[in-house]
Amino acid sequence: MSQPKRSSSEKSPRKAPAVVDVEAPADKALPVKAPPPVAAEPEPQDEDEDEDEVLSETEPATDAELDLIEAEIGVRPAEPQAQAAPVTALVRRDPMGQYMAEVRRHPLLTREEEHALAVRWVEGGDAEAAKQLVTSNLRLVVKIAHEYKRAYQNLLDLVQEGNVGLIQAVKKFDPYRGVKLSTYSGWWIRAYILKFILNNWRLVKIGTTQNQRKLFFNLRKQVDRLKQAGVDPTPERIAAALDVSEAEVIEMDRRLSAPDMSLDAPLTSGGDEDDGRTRMDIIEDSSDDPEVEVESTEFKDILHAKLRRFGATLSGRELEIFRDRIVADEPITLQELGDRWGVSRERARQLEKRMVLRLREFLQAELGDAVQIALGHE
């Protein structure tokens, strides 16, 4: 990694990402079909915030905390490589246990050591200093990822995404703000973990817009808040509280309350060979009837032929109105017509109205009541 060199007199550092109220209780079981009760996905930014804003300090996991995490997730301690002997039998390998052992190899940094390394990275682009900043905070990623273990079972996947967020935080970290790297990077780590959970919650993504992401992370939490306050959690109240539309609330609640369904799945599970219908067979076809499409196409062809015949009878200004105003893909304005002829816009409108009346009479005589056309442009 390389970083532009900062002069010693340039001490205006970057701010930390915007602080949001992210709740990630690890000690509360989440509903099977509901997302984790956390706030909307924090958007990592590099913008100035209020000077009075204070970040609550976040510390990497200690050895004791790592022991508790290993005990809770049932990790088997990795065997020292020195004791490993060639064996012919298959040995169960625990990737998480090996990763935890690797994390323990990197000691925590003091505030002074961290600041010195960060200055080396920011001022001189020292890649080795950046590497030490990253490895010393791998414990923090494990600690934060563990908070979301109920939302996503594969802890290693969460750790991997959190490590990407940690690297991004180190790239943007400014040691002159007086904020610890662990505190600053905590928000980046959570952002990447939350984004990963959102994108992998279902086979079909359900958080493709900002409002959908907000509902994904806050819908259940808002429902619980309203119930605790003795208020009926109607879609209207939830939409007002989260500043989204009522239709979006109803749609997200429906999608979170039901699993994904395959369109190729059979409608019945009785194994009746005669009934091989699937959900795809009962979906309404929203396309037009082929007969209607053919009829519409034929009528348009007839109408275009009649318009060409009518246009052949015109000349002068009427032909210009017909060609540039009536049948043009991008009609010009009446003011443009008036400027072209050296007359007022009102006079151009009168000439167009007179020509349109002739066109109505022509089409009525040729097609009768089969066509209802309202011509005229303002």
Side-chain angles (χ1 to χ4, degrees), residues 5 8 34 39 41 48 70 112 116 140 147-148 193 272 290 325:
K5 182 175 294 185
S8 58
E41 173 189 355
D48 290 340
E70 288 180 341
E112 294 74 18
L140 176 63
E147 298 175 0
Y148 298 94
I193 290 177
D272 188 355
R325 287 275 296 170

Side-chain angles (χ1 to χ4, degrees), residues 34-171:
V38 295
E41 173 189 355
E43 297 289 344
Q45 298 177 2
D46 191 18
E47 301 177 355
D48 290 340
E49 302 292 341
D50 293 336
E51 291 295 332
D52 296 335
E53 186 175 316
V54 179
L55 293 175
S56 59
E57 288 200 359
T58 304
E59 299 290 345
T62 62
D63 287 339
E65 289 176 319
L66 290 179
D67 290 338
L68 292 175
I69 293 175
E70 288 180 341
E72 185 171 343
I73 64 179
V75 167
R76 289 182 13 171
E79 295 291 338
Q81 293 185 0
Q83 300 178 3
V87 293
T88 57
L90 293 177
V91 179
R92 179 177 178 270
R93 178 175 175 269
D94 190 344
M96 192 64 200
Q98 292 184 338
Y99 182 81
M100 296 288 278
E102 178 67 22
V103 166
R104 291 175 183 273
R105 290 181 53 248
H106 304 286
L108 297 174
L109 298 175
T110 64
R111 192 71 175 262
E112 294 74 18
E113 291 173 337
E114 179 184 280
H115 178 77
L117 289 171
V119 170
R120 284 169 51 190
W121 160 240
V122 172
E123 298 286 353
D126 189 338
E128 184 61 30
K131 178 181 177 181
Q132 292 185 47
L133 291 173
V134 171
T135 55
S136 64
N137 283 278
L138 293 176
R139 297 162 173 257
L140 176 63
V141 177
V142 174
K143 180 180 178 180
I144 295 177
H146 179 254
E147 298 175 0
Y148 298 94
K149 68 182 186 305
R150 296 184 184 274
Y152 195 84
Q153 296 300 317
N154 193 327
L155 187 59
L156 270 177
D157 284 348
L158 300 184
V159 170
Q160 175 177 277
E161 292 298 318
N163 286 341
V164 177
L166 173 61
I167 294 173
Q168 293 297 323
V170 170
K171 287 181 179 180

Side-chain angles (χ1 to χ4, degrees), residues 25 31 66 91 95 128 161 188 213 239 253 261 318 348 355 377:
L66 290 179
V91 179
E128 184 61 30
E161 292 298 318
W188 284 87
R213 290 192 290 270
D253 181 65
M261 296 183 296
E318 288 186 339
M355 193 276 299
H377 303 270

